[in-house]
């Protein structure tokens, strides 16, 4: 199918109140299959006829989808005349054998909004529905369009009143009229509306909004030949029933369901034994003689081409085999089920109904475009239902977006929130009260089932269907933040072995019942998630149980052990996986750290956890967060009355001081770093911890190195190296060797520097320490740069950059971008010396400026200022480079670099031609 969205005629689209003409060819798919050559010629003729009629009547054909035209007109009269001209020409045309084309058309007038070369708004949905009710050769007209046409009709034209029809959208009926022209056929089969086909689908008080993709998928699945049973699952409030009803309405005219589409409501049923009776009663099937009702029903449905929509099956899952028996006894019956839990039948196909699509806060466009987001559109429609003058504006758009996101895109939650606009007055006021969703989201329509009148009732309904063991596991799952793995759930939720069900079986059941959902985690391991609205309910249940303090401690212990296991691996070959694991668990790690601030008994656990997270914070650029967490924990530890007599607390505090000093150093806060590192060193000396002493000395050396006191730095590095060699700590040895090499580099002893760095690199390669390898490659690149070996320097910087990109090492990426900028600046040859004149010079300077600009922006983002020891040289090189171009050229290139995304900057560093 081809989609043409460029304007076909004329150049200026109508605005405001517009009359739309939609057309398509009846049965074109089958015609293409049976006579493709004839249809190719016929299609071209059809298109030419339509284009001519549209152009003559000043229509704006803004879209063509396959053989369907979508056209806008400034007046209803122009639209009607275009339809007449086209139908007369089509009717008089001699078509090839097998390709006699019959086109159906629909006209509707409404207010719309333009979106580029397209239109948006409810009017388009209405005209599309109207078109679907017609037949080939027929022109249908809405009441809105008829009101504009009735006094201006051509003499030979009348509009036949077809009465009111529900156009498969289950809301208010549309009063439909048919064009009658003496030169055209006027008799057609009954309209393809709900009234024309056997069904009992309940009408709905509100329009169906969004869900085009899901609706198409569900319809498509039900039309598949071998699809007999489809179950729509999802948590309470996702709109399973509404989606199922709309899909059923769209299929009432399908040949596959010629005997009807019927709705069976099980919401009030709690006895599994009466399900068959309910289905039979819905279909009007009664017991015959002494025959059981299930046998009578099977006989009635045996050869029926019918769709049954069985709603709200979750509370009677024991009755599922009855559906299986019914399907096996029939040949063409299909069943569409809605349930919060899967039925687990062999015939079943499950479709998990997702929440509504949410707008991306980082990709905001116009308010007009935002209204097309289905979650926002639902909020606006329901808000206007209670407050007629409500509009989405630039001032309230962000609040509406935030409300939809806070509510996980759950339709019921959004409807309940929008209803609050009447009392609270603005989306901003609603948003400010969403801290407790379950208290705010009450007061739904009283004609809905009780469980759908508040979000709490909806979730409570699902909770009430759980077994005792499932309820225990469900509430305990709320101890996690941002998801949980099976291992974590087993270790934390069943630490005492008191859950009466297997944890995996329990999680599987909670997923089946739509109270949790599964995503793919690190290494393909399942990760189990909760929607925030369901999480809030689970947390309330956990608080009510009194289990929260015990579970919080188990949670903190689990993630402390994980962090310590990761710390030991963050210098090994698997460090990238561990970094990803820690990133995935970041919210759980934060929650575990907070417990140490609130509970004295958990202080030492949180201190150990914070100390173990240092390298993760450092590599991933969480400098400020790490310092704040460590500072808060150290402050609480300082106030502890038993700290001085506790070696465990003393060791934890010494490590925390070491780590907070390291992060302060990374942010250029050298005085604070030196103070904390000296305190760490003193504590480690008092504890006799040689490895702690070595690490403190090494970090003190880093501070003095960056403060340009290289003699002092060398002393610290050499002392730490001795301790590391004594302990045969290869990581420590490699780090100390590299740092000593850096001292030699700044003392311009390049041969000695290269030797020490290469020794360090060999150790790190043997260990598989990618981050250490990247650091060492960068230092070797620095040496090559200052020895004027620019090609080698560039290669080493790029190799380091690739490793740091793999590790998502923001700080390291900054340094590599700056290194590559220096290569460009130092390799610069003044105009006229390289045979390329000033053009080559300008390109090199622009490249350097962009790289520096990108690096500077990233430094600001992660909060790592340039070390003072490097500042003078940095300014000198940049000033010399900048002198070769005019100020506007430099500023433009610099700004372009600052505007680059991280990935774009890395790609540009590898190949400037990618700009």
């Amino acid at each position: 199918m081809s989609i043409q969205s460029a304007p076909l005629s004329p150049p200026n689209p109508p605005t405001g109140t517009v009359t739309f003409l939609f057309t398509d060819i009846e049965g074109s798919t089958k015609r293409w299959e049976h006579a493709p050559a004839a249809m190719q010629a016929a299609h071209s003729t059809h298109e030419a006829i339509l284009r001519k009629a549209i152009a003559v009547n000043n229509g704006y054909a803004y879209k063509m989808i396959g053989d369907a035209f979508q056209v806008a007109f400034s007046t209803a009269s122009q639209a009607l005349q275009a339809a007449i001209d086209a139908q007369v020409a089509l009717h008089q045309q001699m078509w090839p054998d097998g390709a006699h084309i019959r086109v159906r058309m629909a006209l509707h007038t409404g207010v719309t909004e333009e979106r580029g070369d397209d239109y948006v708004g409810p009017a388009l949905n209405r005209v599309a529905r109207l078109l679907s009710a017609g037949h080939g050769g027929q022109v249908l007209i809405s009441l809105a369009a008829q009101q504009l046409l009735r006094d201006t009709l051509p003499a030979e034209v009348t509009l036949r009143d077809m009465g009111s029809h529900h156009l498969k959208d289950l809301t208010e009926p549309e009063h439909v009229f048919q064009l009658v022209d003496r030169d055209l056929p006027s008799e057609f089969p009954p309209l393809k509306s709900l009234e024309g086909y056997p069904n009992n689908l309940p009408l709905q008080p509100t329009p169906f909004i969004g869900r085009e993709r899901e609706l198409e998928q569900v319809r498509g699945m039900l039309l598949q030949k071998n699809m007999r049973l489809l179950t729509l699952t999802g948590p309470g409030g996702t709109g399973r029933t509404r989606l199922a009803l709309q899909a059923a309405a769209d299929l009432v005219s399908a040949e596959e369901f010629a005997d009807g589409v019927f709705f069976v409501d099980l919401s009030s049923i709690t006895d599994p034994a009466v399900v068959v009776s309910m289905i039979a009663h819905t279909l009007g099937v009664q017991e015959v003689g002494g025959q059981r009702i299930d046998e009578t029903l099977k006989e009635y449905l045996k050869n029926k081409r019918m769709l049954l929509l069985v709603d709200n099956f979750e509370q009677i899952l024991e009755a599922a085999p009855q559906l299986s028996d019914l399907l096996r006894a029939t040949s063409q019956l299909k069943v569409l089920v809605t349930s919060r839990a899967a039925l687990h039948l062999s015939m079943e196909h499950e479709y998990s109904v997702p929440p509504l699509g949410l707008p991306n806060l980082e990709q905001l466009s116009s308010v007009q475009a935002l209204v097309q987001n289905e979650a926002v559109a639902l909020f606006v429609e329901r808000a206007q239902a209670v407050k007629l003058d409500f509009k989405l504006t630039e001032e309230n758009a962000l609040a509406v977006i935030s409300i939809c996101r806070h509510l996980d895109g759950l339709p019921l939650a959004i409807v309940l929130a929008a209803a609050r606009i009447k009392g609270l007055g603005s989306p901003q006021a609603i948003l400010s009260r969403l801290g407790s969703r379950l208290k705010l989201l009450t007061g739904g329509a009283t004609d809905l089932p009780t469980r759908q009148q508040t979000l709490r009732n909806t979730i409570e309904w699902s909770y009430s269907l759980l077994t005792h063991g499932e309820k225990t596991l469900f509430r305990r799952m709320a101890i996690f933040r941002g998801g949980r793995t099976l291992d974590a759930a087993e270790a934390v939720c069943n630490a005492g072995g008191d859950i009466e069900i297997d944890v995996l079986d329990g999680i599987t059941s909670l997923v089946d019942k739509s109270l949790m959902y599964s995503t793919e985690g690190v290494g393909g391991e399942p990760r189990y998630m909760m929607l925030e609205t369901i999480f809030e309910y689970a947390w309330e249940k956990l608080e009510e149980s009194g289990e929260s303090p015990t579970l919080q401690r188990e949670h903190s212990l689990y993630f402390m052990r994980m962090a310590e296991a990761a710390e030991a691996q963050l210098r090994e070959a698997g460090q990238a996986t561990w970094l990803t694991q820690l990133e995935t668990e970041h919210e759980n790690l934060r929650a575990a750290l907070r417990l140490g601030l609130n509970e004295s008994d958990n202080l030492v656990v949180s201190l150990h956890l914070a100390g173990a997270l240092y390298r993760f914070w450092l590599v991933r650029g969480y400098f400020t967060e790490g310092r704040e967490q460590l500072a808060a924990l150290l402050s609480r530890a300082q106030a502890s009355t038993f700290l001085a007599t506790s070696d465990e607390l003393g060791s934890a505090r010494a490590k925390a001081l070491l780590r907070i000093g390291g992060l302060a150093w990374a942010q250029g806060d050298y005085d604070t770093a030196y103070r904390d590192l000296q305190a760490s060193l003193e504590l480690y000396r008092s504890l006799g911890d040689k490895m702690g002493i070595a690490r403190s000395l090494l970090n003190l050396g880093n501070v003095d190195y960056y403060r340009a006191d290289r003699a002092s730095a060398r002393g610290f590095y050499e002392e730490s190296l001795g301790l590391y060699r004594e302990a045969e700590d290869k990581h420590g040895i490699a780090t100390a060797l590299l740092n000593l090499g850096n001292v030699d580099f700044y003392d311009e002893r390049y041969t000695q520097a290269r030797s020490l760095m290469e020794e360090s690199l060999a150790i790190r390669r043997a260990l598989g320490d990618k981050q250490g390898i990247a650091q060492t490659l960068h230092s070797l690149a620095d040496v090559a740069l200052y020895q004027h070996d620019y090609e080698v320097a560039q290669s080493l910087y790029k190799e380091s950059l690739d490793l740091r990109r793999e590790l998502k090492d923001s700080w390291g990426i900054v340094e590599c971008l700056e290194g590559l900028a220096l290569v460009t600046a130092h390799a610069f040859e003044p105009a006229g010396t390289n045979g390329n004149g000033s053009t080559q010079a300008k390109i090199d300077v622009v490249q350097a400026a962009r790289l520096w600009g990108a690096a500077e922006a990233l430094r600001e983002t992660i909060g790592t200022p340039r070390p003072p020891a490097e500042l003078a040289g940095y300014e000198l090189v940049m000033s010399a480079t900048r002198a070769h171009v005019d100020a506007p050229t430099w500023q433009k290139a610099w700004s372009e670099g600052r505007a680059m995304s991280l990935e774009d900057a890395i790609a540009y560093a590898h190949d400037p031609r990618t700009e």
Side-chain angles (χ1 to χ4, degrees), residues 812-827:
I813 289 170
V814 167
E815 292 184 324
C816 288
L817 293 176
E818 291 175 341
L820 287 163
L822 284 170
V823 170
T824 303
H826 278 284

Side-chain angles (χ1 to χ4, degrees), residues 166-168 170 192-201 245-262 307:
H166 287 92
L167 302 176
K168 299 184 184 179
L170 302 175
K192 298 177 183 178
S193 61
L194 293 182
E195 287 78 6
Y197 300 88
N199 75 88
N200 70 335
L201 298 179
L245 280 169
Q246 190 58 56
D250 285 352
L251 293 171
V252 292
S253 61
E255 294 179 8
E256 290 83 350
F257 307 119
D259 293 308
V261 175
F262 294 93
L307 174 65

Side-chain angles (χ1 to χ4, degrees), residues 858-879:
L858 187 53
R859 274 195 182 278
E860 292 171 6
T861 299
I862 63 178
T864 54
R866 191 175 314 287
E870 297 180 358
L871 199 54
Y874 170 78
E875 290 290 350
L876 182 64
V877 173
M878 186 180 293
S879 177

